[in-house]
Amino acid sequence: MKISPNCRSLIFRAKVSYKSNKPTFHCNYFSTAPNRNLVPLFNQYVDSTNVYSWNSVIAELARGGDSVEALRAFSSMRKLSLSPNRSTLPCTIKACSSLLDLVSGRQAHQQAIVFGFGDDVFVTSALVDMYSKCGRLWDAYKVFDEMPQRNVVSWTSMITGFVQNNAPREALGVFKKFLVEESEIEGVYVDAVALVSVLSACARVSDKFVTEGVHGFSIKKGLDGFVGVGNTLVDAYAKCGEVGLSKNVFDGMVEKDDVSWNSMIAVLAQSGLSSEAMAVFRSMVFSSRVGFNDVTLSAVLLACSHAGALLLGRCIHDKVVKMGLEQNVYIGTSIIDMYCKCGRVSTARKAFERMNYKNVKSWSAMIAGYGMHGYPKEALNVFYDMKRAGVRPNYITFVSVLAACSHAGLVDEGWDCFMSMKKEFGLEPGVEHYSCMVDLLGRSGLVGKAYDLIKQMKVKPDFVIWGSLLAGCRMHKNLELAEISARKLFELDPSNCGYYVLLSNMYADAGRWEDVERMRILMKNHGLIKPPGFSLVEIKGKVHVFLVGDKEHPEHEKIYQYLEELYMKLQEVGYVADKASVLHDVDDEEKEMTLRGHSEKLAVAFGIMHTAPGTIINVIKNLRVCGDCHTVIKLISKIVQREIVVRDAKRFHHFKDGTCSCGDYW
């Protein structure tokens, strides 16, 4: 029976009149009295003695998301001594699922048994879904296992239940049984909806070969053309770290919806492939009929953050304002993060102030932004404002606060925040918090105290922590602790040659040439090569990439020529190359030539060449900026009268008039 327009209107009127005296949520709705607004109207317009009329009402309410009213309608029907049929109970159980109401769900299960529908495939499938959503996975599987007959909905409900309860391998186990039954029983087959659930399990397992197997099955069954299957495949391959395969699936999709485009942009942005993410966004805007939304813009802003694409980021911000999305807390937080990572922390603060509602991520993003730009006092002030606003800081917030203290050597403030985690907020410090504290203490000259803190850790220290200690030892020439740190690092992160170079240079400073040679042999035996440094600079909306010693850029000859002119001026003001970051067994001339080809110098030179006087130059470096580049860029900023902003792996450096915002403390 289809519900009539008059009855639809009746339900709506009854719902509206009922809203005003709607009671507080209770687990069990069956115990309440019949709805005083609904019953008289049903009696007038609906045959209240007909179970099919009640079925229509319950189904309409459940489908419309009015699960409370659906359960009340069922309760009213039962109080009239009407017996439910096989169509009544699935909708009632669905309402229990929507409310996560286990008590009412169990009562519906009992009713199904009492009225002889305990083995009905539609009722039991609904029960599997209800128990799964209420977190009762064992009860769901018990119902599923005892089903005398299963259809594709039953199998899909059980697979989805395992996925929802973070048991993806068990979900794949059920899928294998499904395939066996599919081959044995006619009429039972895997459909696109079931396959989406299976691929969701693959995404959580993060196993490339399992995902490829299910992908092959989808092709064999002709299900790979469904949009939902393609979307889930994109995500599953990405979770396996196979971004290239994700992109292949996306490119092969004949039909794409907004989820397809959003997923691909997000996958590329999160994988650090910002240029590719922005290219997909452009294709979405200019080549597809699918409109972008807040999720799209948030993903593109992430790509802009990683690439330092300020011009595109500003365009996205303008679009956000025009679409009225500026008060969307997720978009607002993405805008703050984008401006901070593009070197415009003051603009980020303005966006932060315009937000009417800020969640913990918004506050944490602003704190992190100030910290990475070398404004620790401002970061701490935002942190204190956050607490006064009644927003409880979380794990990430304290990482941002401690990193801000570390960037400026605020030892006392850092200790206070670190100790308050447990005492004031009940948060157990993690590896990231200890890493910040070790970095803070080590760079402040308290390397012994930093080492003591590592020994007191409740969690196992990772390579980041030992690396922070090694950097502190290098800065303050503590060779004994440096050797302890290096031994741990050789075990935890054996493929990173930076530790060997750092320790080798410390040995050279101490005149221990045999140990220098030993480090060289170790690097050679392990086949270690220092990862290439690269820098990005955005000019007129296009991101240019420079490698160390780059000869591939179409203007490389002009860039090196301009650098030579700058070096002439640098030497006039007393510049002397800092060769400490280059291996000691290289002669001085070769060291200096190596330093001149560092990617950040090339990017800065190119930026100056192609922008108008007075324009701020923004550069992103994938590694920590070396001492020589830091000195050179400081002097260049004074010579050419430009502000130069460099974001390296550690923080931001604002160079202006021959000084840096970090105060040479990085």
Side-chain angles (χ1 to χ4, degrees), residues 524-597:
K524 184 177 180 181
N525 290 343
H526 286 86
L528 298 179
I529 302 172
K530 189 175 180 181
F534 67 84
S535 297
L536 313 175
V537 61
E538 183 189 24
I539 304 294
K540 297 178 181 177
K542 183 180 179 182
V543 177
H544 296 261
V545 182
F546 292 91
L547 300 174
V548 60
D550 202 325
K551 295 291 178 70
E552 299 298 321
H553 194 277
E555 295 188 45
H556 70 271
E557 291 182 358
K558 293 180 181 178
I559 295 168
Y560 283 110
Q561 184 179 346
Y562 182 64
L563 268 177
E564 282 298 321
E565 295 172 11
L566 286 175
Y567 267 97
M568 294 285 288
K569 296 177 182 178
L570 289 172
Q571 288 166 357
E572 290 174 6
V573 295
Y575 161 73
V576 177
D578 178 2
K579 308 179 185 74
S581 57
V582 187
L583 275 172
H584 278 268
D585 61 345
V586 178
D587 63 54
D588 284 351
E589 185 177 351
E590 187 176 345
K591 286 180 183 179
E592 190 163 345
M593 292 310 297
T594 300
L595 289 170
R596 289 195 182 194

Side-chain angles (χ1 to χ4, degrees), residues 470-483:
L470 179 60
C473 292
R474 166 67 168 142
M475 187 180 294
H476 298 285
K477 304 186 185 306
N478 189 321
L479 190 53
E480 181 184 353
L481 283 180
E483 289 180 319

Side-chain angles (χ1 to χ4, degrees), residues 223-236:
L223 299 172
D224 57 315
F226 287 88
V227 176
V229 172
N231 292 344
T232 321
L233 265 171
V234 167
D235 179 60

Side-chain angles (χ1 to χ4, degrees), residues 367-376 379 399-411 436 439-441 443-444 648-653 661-666:
I367 294 167
Y370 274 130
M372 70 177 71
H373 281 271
Y375 302 121
V399 173
S400 302
V401 173
L402 293 173
C405 294
S406 173
H407 287 320
L410 302 180
V411 177
C436 291
D439 186 55
L440 170 58
L441 295 170
R443 293 204 290 161
S444 300
D648 70 4
K650 288 283 186 181
R651 59 176 297 157
F652 273 86
H653 301 265
S661 60
C662 73
D664 297 337
Y665 186 87
W666 87 105

Side-chain angles (χ1 to χ4, degrees), residues 96-113:
C96 298
S97 300
S98 299
L99 296 168
L100 304 181
D101 183 358
L102 182 61
V103 174
S104 296
R106 288 194 187 282
Q107 290 185 24
H109 191 175
Q110 291 170 353
Q111 296 267 306
I113 294 170

Side-chain angles (χ1 to χ4, degrees), residues 259-325:
V259 176
S260 317
W261 290 97
N262 293 347
S263 298
M264 195 67 254
I265 294 168
V267 163
L268 292 168
Q270 291 163 6
S271 302
L273 301 171
S274 303
S275 297
E276 291 85 345
M278 291 184 280
V280 172
F281 175 64
R282 290 188 184 97
S283 296
M284 179 183 186
V285 173
F286 297 113
S287 306
S288 79
R289 297 179 181 178
V290 179
F292 53 83
N293 53 27
D294 56 335
V295 178
T296 320
L297 297 179
S298 185
V300 178
L301 285 166
L302 177 62
C304 295
S305 300
H306 289 327
L310 181 61
L311 185 60
L312 178 58
R314 281 173 170 162
C315 292
I316 299 299
H317 189 184
D318 290 342
K319 182 60 68 174
V320 165
V321 173
K322 289 176 183 176
M323 293 173 67
L325 296 172

